Amino acid sequence: MMKKSLPLLALLLLTLQSLSAYNIVQEEMKPIQTNPADIWSDRGGEGPNVTCGYAKVGENVTFFFRVGSPTYLRIVITKPDGSEVEVMKSSQVFPGITYRFHQLFVDPGMRVIKLIGYSGNVLDYCTIHVVTSFTGGDVWTEAGGRGPQIDGGVLIAGNPVRILFSVNVTSEVQLFLYGPERKEELLFSGRLEGGKTETLLLEGLKEGKYTLKLLQGSKILDSCDFSVIKPVERVPPSIRISSINVNGSVVSINGEAFPGTPNASLIISWDWGDGSYEEGPFPRMHRYEREGKYTIRIVAKQSDGLSANFTYSVLIATSTTPTKIAEGSVTSEVKTMNATKEETVTIVEEKTPSELIAFILGALASALIITAISRILKRT
């Protein structure tokens, strides 16, 4: 039994010797991860294909890696110019062990550190940004402020406020909030991973102006101002119709639509009842192809989601004589406030001159006949 285990032990010792030749050492035993392989740095990046953070030129960075099953792999670093440097030749590694190695970067730019398997496939990688400047940071709100000292926008009181902040190099930072009464409140204190965005949710902020300050010691990395205001009351829009005219098969509608909520925008849509739809402001004109009764629906939709609608029924005749709506059937007094109202538009036919003459002649003839009959009756 002892003789059979000697070759396996010798192979393990040979592997560890090979790893030490590339200045790669193993650390304490850790549970096997579900992902097949992972590489990260002391600045972050644990997890599949996650950034390893930021480092300054001339700074020594410690990298870690582990695998989920026994395999052969090598480690390659892709430089900013696209060239590659092999920092570990193909070696056998085992699960349950965290390996580490150190790397010094002497010029700025982004590097990609890759774990390459036996068949040449990339098992995992992470990127590290090498910078020449000192630690920088950014703090902003969900309403704005991304970038150095940019205004954080306006938020509504009563709603939770989302605060976001990050640094370019892993470091110890503090985040302070200054309220309307200039009271200082510590929101965060601790180590922040370079390139990672941290999020906080603030509740119960009163109306007023606020300032966020992100500090590293006494150094201000970034600041951001934002305002909290009262909730804006949402009011539905209204539609006012001033006239509807029908000329044969053509209907013309004039009126106005007003937003209810301040600074809201409106979109007016038209459903003519014959399968035709369109969008646009007043006035509007539409031609029908067939006679009949049609229901016209006008909808004013507000940018905050509220809407108002107005509905009309109009009768279209096939007469070639121009027709119009009776006076006073639709006036400027008609309104809607987010409600539906239906009106039947009555078409009044106008008499032509020939029809009027015939009517007068008929009346005269009837009068003469009645007079003649009455005289005959008197004689008898």
Side-chain angles (χ1 to χ4, degrees):
M1 183 70 177
M2 185 68 178
K3 291 181 179 179
K4 291 182 179 180
S5 61
L6 284 176
L8 180 60
L9 181 61
L11 179 60
L12 178 61
L13 292 174
L14 182 62
T15 301
L16 294 176
Q17 183 178 2
S18 174
L19 290 174
S20 62
Y22 295 98
N23 196 28
I24 296 179
V25 298
Q26 65 184 50
E27 290 190 333
E28 71 278 2
M29 300 287 288
K30 292 187 178 181
I32 298 175
Q33 303 298 307
T34 55
N35 56 303
D38 191 15
I39 186 167
W40 69 98
S41 76
D42 55 359
R43 319 304 167 90
E46 196 165 1
N49 306 337
V50 180
T51 177
C52 285
Y54 289 73
K56 288 192 294 185
V57 170
E59 196 172 18
N60 202 23
V61 180
T62 302
F63 289 92
F64 306 88
F65 68 93
R66 57 175 170 247
V67 294
S69 59
T71 185
Y72 282 87
L73 60 78
R74 60 193 183 98
I75 300 176
V76 172
I77 297 179
T78 302
K79 300 173 66 176
D81 60 3
S83 62
E84 293 187 342
V85 176
E86 189 176 60
V87 297
M88 187 185 86
K89 294 184 178 179
S90 182
S91 303
Q92 189 176 21
V93 292
F94 300 92
I97 301 174
T98 299
Y99 301 90
R100 68 179 180 185
F101 65 96
H102 304 285
Q103 189 69 30
L104 184 69
F105 300 104
V106 295
D107 54 344
M110 186 186 76
R111 271 79 169 174
V112 182
I113 297 86
K114 303 176 185 176
L115 289 180
I116 301 178
Y118 178 78
S119 59
N121 58 314
V122 178
L123 303 179
D124 187 39
Y125 71 90
C126 76
T127 57
I128 187 162
H129 301 267
V130 182
V131 297
T132 57
S133 60
F134 293 102
T135 304
D138 191 10
V139 59
W140 66 99
T141 76
E142 58 187 300
R146 192 70 188 266
Q149 298 184 5
I150 295 179
D151 189 82
V154 178
L155 299 118
I156 306 300
N159 296 334
V161 176
R162 197 157 59 106
I163 305 297
L164 306 97
F165 57 103
S166 64
V167 290
N168 64 340
V169 178
T170 301
S171 56
E172 296 286 333
V173 296
Q174 299 83 38
L175 179 64
F176 290 94
L177 175 69
Y178 299 87
E181 300 176 356
R182 307 307 298 173
K183 290 183 179 179
E184 181 181 272
E185 180 182 354
L186 179 63
L187 301 180
F188 176 87
S189 179
R191 186 172 182 267
L192 187 60
E193 179 184 327
K196 179 181 178 181
T197 299
E198 190 76 23
T199 303
L200 297 175
L201 206 60
L202 304 182
E203 296 184 0
L205 293 183
K206 299 179 181 179
E207 299 168 46
K209 292 187 177 180
Y210 292 83
T211 299
L212 293 163
K213 288 185 179 180
L214 182 64
L215 290 86
Q216 182 188 42
S218 59
K219 178 185 177 183
I220 299 177
L221 302 179
D222 188 35
S223 64
C224 174
D225 297 328
F226 66 94
S227 300
V228 176
I229 63 173
K230 287 182 179 180
V232 178
E233 184 181 0
R234 297 169 64 215
V235 180
S238 61
I239 299 174
R240 184 190 298 272
I241 302 298
S242 58
S243 66
I244 297 179
N245 294 312
V246 179
N247 188 354
S249 61
V250 178
V251 175
S252 302
I253 303 177
N254 202 359
E256 294 177 287
F258 305 93
T261 303
N263 301 319
S265 58
L266 283 180
I267 296 178
I268 304 174
S269 60
W270 303 76
D271 178 358
W272 296 101
D274 61 348
S276 300
Y277 301 89
E278 58 182 308
E279 290 184 353
F282 288 93
R284 219 69 183 170
M285 181 183 295
H286 182 70
R287 180 184 296 278
Y288 290 92
E289 300 297 329
R290 298 179 180 178
E291 67 174 0
K293 184 179 179 181
Y294 297 94
T295 299
I296 303 171
R297 188 166 184 258
I298 307 168
V299 178
K301 188 172 183 180
Q302 211 161 247
S303 55
D304 61 1
L306 299 181
S307 63
N309 59 79
F310 206 90
T311 304
Y312 294 91
S313 292
V314 60
L315 184 63
I316 300 296
T318 55
S319 172
T320 57
T321 304
T323 60
K324 67 177 181 179
I325 295 175
E327 291 290 336
S329 60
V330 179
T331 70
S332 60
E333 298 296 322
V334 179
K335 291 185 182 179
T336 109
M337 286 296 291
N338 205 24
T340 300
K341 181 175 180 179
E342 181 170 325
E343 290 194 1
T344 301
V345 180
T346 305
I347 299 174
V348 180
E349 295 187 8
E350 293 182 343
K351 304 297 183 180
T352 61
S354 59
E355 291 175 334
L356 186 59
I357 293 170
F359 175 77
I360 294 171
L361 292 175
L364 290 174
S366 298
L368 291 173
I369 292 171
I370 292 171
T371 303
I373 292 171
S374 62
R375 286 179 180 177
I376 294 169
L377 289 175
K378 285 180 181 181
R379 290 176 183 176
T380 60

